[in-house]
Amino acid sequence: MKKSLLALLSVVAMSTTALAADLKPALVYGTGGKFDKSFNEAAYNGAEKFKKETGIAYRDFEPTGDTQGEQAIRNFASRGFNPVVAVSFAWTSAMEKVAQEFPNTKFVIVDSVVDKPNVRSVVYKEEEGSYLVGVLAGLASKSGKIGFVGGMDIPLIRKFECGYEQGARSVKSNIEVFQNMTGTTGAAWNDPVRGGELTKNQIDQGADVIYAAAGATGLGVLQTAADNKKLSIGVDSNQNHLHPGSVLTSMVKRVDLAVYNAFSDVKNDKFTGGTQVLGVKDDGVMAAIDDNNKSLITPEMQSAVEKAKADIIDGKVKVHDYTTDSACPK
């Protein structure tokens, strides 16, 4: 009996070790750099959390151009990495090709939908999170003028802007919203100097709160707002700590959770394909309030954002998604 038990425990231990050995997670970032303090860094933090909890290492790759994503995804898959997670809409066509070539590999793409049985697509209701930070911007603005600086000019980023505008108008109907996009290529995610220039231009027009949805470019937005004693809003990661007392809030998008869950689900044999849509109700997007910005958030603002969150969850407020019709209601 004792020998049988020992033998069973030995088999279980060997199986666990084998599973850990078979699990080879890989992560491909979007352009803009791993440590952009925003979108890519959120993905990195999810991978690091998994590594810390399990002791299982992962490999990652930082593409510097739009062509390198497909090369990286295919390279990881061909070397037996599983799952392979790619964070960026830019890798959509690459994922479609490579997932078909490697049907036994599990893939995850963030910010786009790829309809393959071995692919999990994780997308977010950015318009809902942006609505919440828009409410705070509308209430915080003294000039009645606010701004938005986006990264690459794509429907996804216009989705952020449109949600932001709707939130601000819900509390201040006549508010003026300036908006600029940084560029039309992947380089738009990593140009903080240009982000700062666009921010200064909006400030010169009277904007006193500027929302950045631009990856590493947003660091220039936050810095310029702080230098000019104006408020900014961070994105994707909680960026409140970058300029305490100047960053009004951050629209946190839980990219870290998408990566962590992908690695964990494959480890635990719970991986499923299909599309996951994460919004306010799922804590997939939110307005961050912490010790770094609480002095900027009045009780009225706190109540307003909590009510907006509850109304979105209850369906009383339906935030329009720009990507459904390429339009934003005024």
Side-chain angles (χ1 to χ4, degrees):
M1 177 71 177
K2 191 172 182 181
K3 286 184 179 179
S4 298
L5 182 58
L6 288 171
L8 178 61
L9 290 173
S10 175
V11 170
V12 171
M14 287 173 64
S15 299
T16 304
T17 304
L19 180 60
D22 291 341
L23 181 68
K24 293 172 62 178
L27 175 60
V28 179
Y29 301 103
T31 54
K34 181 195 302 188
F35 298 115
D36 60 359
K37 302 189 185 305
S38 186
F39 181 79
N40 285 326
E41 195 159 334
Y44 165 78
N45 289 336
E48 283 292 300
K49 180 184 178 187
F50 175 83
K51 177 183 173 182
K52 183 177 180 181
E53 290 183 3
T54 65
I56 298 172
Y58 66 95
R59 292 291 299 276
D60 59 1
F61 182 76
E62 297 178 70
T64 56
D66 293 342
T67 61
Q68 291 184 337
E70 182 173 339
Q71 296 169 1
I73 295 167
R74 181 175 285 106
N75 185 41
F76 280 134
S78 65
R79 291 165 57 197
F81 282 87
N82 188 32
V84 178
V85 180
V87 292
S88 176
F89 73 94
W91 314 137
T92 305
S93 61
M95 183 67 78
E96 288 171 343
K97 293 178 192 173
V98 180
Q100 190 161 323
E101 293 170 21
F102 297 89
N104 295 322
T105 300
K106 296 172 175 65
F107 296 90
V108 177
I109 187 165
V110 176
D111 269 1
S112 188
V113 174
V114 172
D115 187 16
K116 301 288 181 186
N118 56 331
V119 178
R120 173 184 293 176
S121 303
V122 184
V123 292
Y124 297 83
K125 294 182 179 179
E126 292 91 353
E127 72 278 9
E128 293 185 353
S130 296
Y131 184 98
L132 297 182
V133 301
V135 167
L136 293 175
L139 292 173
S141 176
K142 294 180 172 60
S143 67
K145 299 177 181 181
I146 60 175
F148 175 89
V149 176
M152 189 173 174
D153 190 357
I154 52 174
L156 174 64
I157 298 304
R158 293 199 173 272
K159 184 179 180 183
F160 280 82
E161 192 284 328
C162 183
Y164 173 62
E165 196 170 324
Q166 290 173 77
R169 293 192 192 288
S170 75
V171 294
K172 198 170 285 181
S173 61
N174 61 342
I175 200 162
E176 192 171 352
V177 184
F178 305 120
Q179 56 173 298
N180 294 105
M181 299 293 174
T182 306
T184 57
T185 69
W189 305 118
N190 198 17
D191 193 349
V193 172
R194 182 59 178 155
E197 291 171 352
L198 293 172
T199 302
K200 183 63 168 63
N201 180 261
Q202 292 183 0
I203 290 171
D204 289 346
Q205 294 180 74
D208 56 1
V209 185
I210 298 94
Y211 178 22
T217 297
L219 299 178
V221 176
L222 272 55
Q223 182 68 60
T224 302
D227 291 345
N228 287 271
K229 304 292 188 283
K230 304 300 180 184
L231 296 173
S232 61
I233 296 174
V235 77
D236 294 337
S237 293
N238 184 348
Q239 298 182 318
N240 295 354
H241 67 283
L242 296 179
H243 299 279
S246 175
V247 182
L248 176 65
T249 184
S250 295
M251 201 290 275
V252 176
K253 178 172 159 181
R254 298 298 306 277
V255 180
D256 60 326
L257 203 57
V259 176
Y260 176 84
N261 287 345
F263 289 3
S264 297
D265 287 351
V266 173
K267 175 182 180 293
N268 298 323
D269 197 27
K270 292 181 178 178
F271 181 87
T272 54
T275 302
Q276 296 181 355
V277 183
L278 305 178
V280 165
K281 185 177 182 179
D282 318 285
D283 287 330
V285 292
M286 62 194 72
I289 298 176
D290 57 23
D291 288 343
N292 293 299
N293 70 332
K294 66 181 182 182
S295 64
L296 302 171
I297 307 296
T298 66
E300 178 196 9
M301 292 163 69
Q302 178 85 49
S303 297
V305 80
E306 287 176 359
K307 183 179 187 305
K309 180 179 178 180
D311 286 347
I312 289 170
I313 292 171
D314 292 342
K316 293 177 183 176
V317 168
K318 295 188 184 299
V319 187
H320 181 73
D321 176 356
Y322 175 91
T323 62
T324 60
D325 60 0
S326 299
C328 190
K330 299 298 181 185

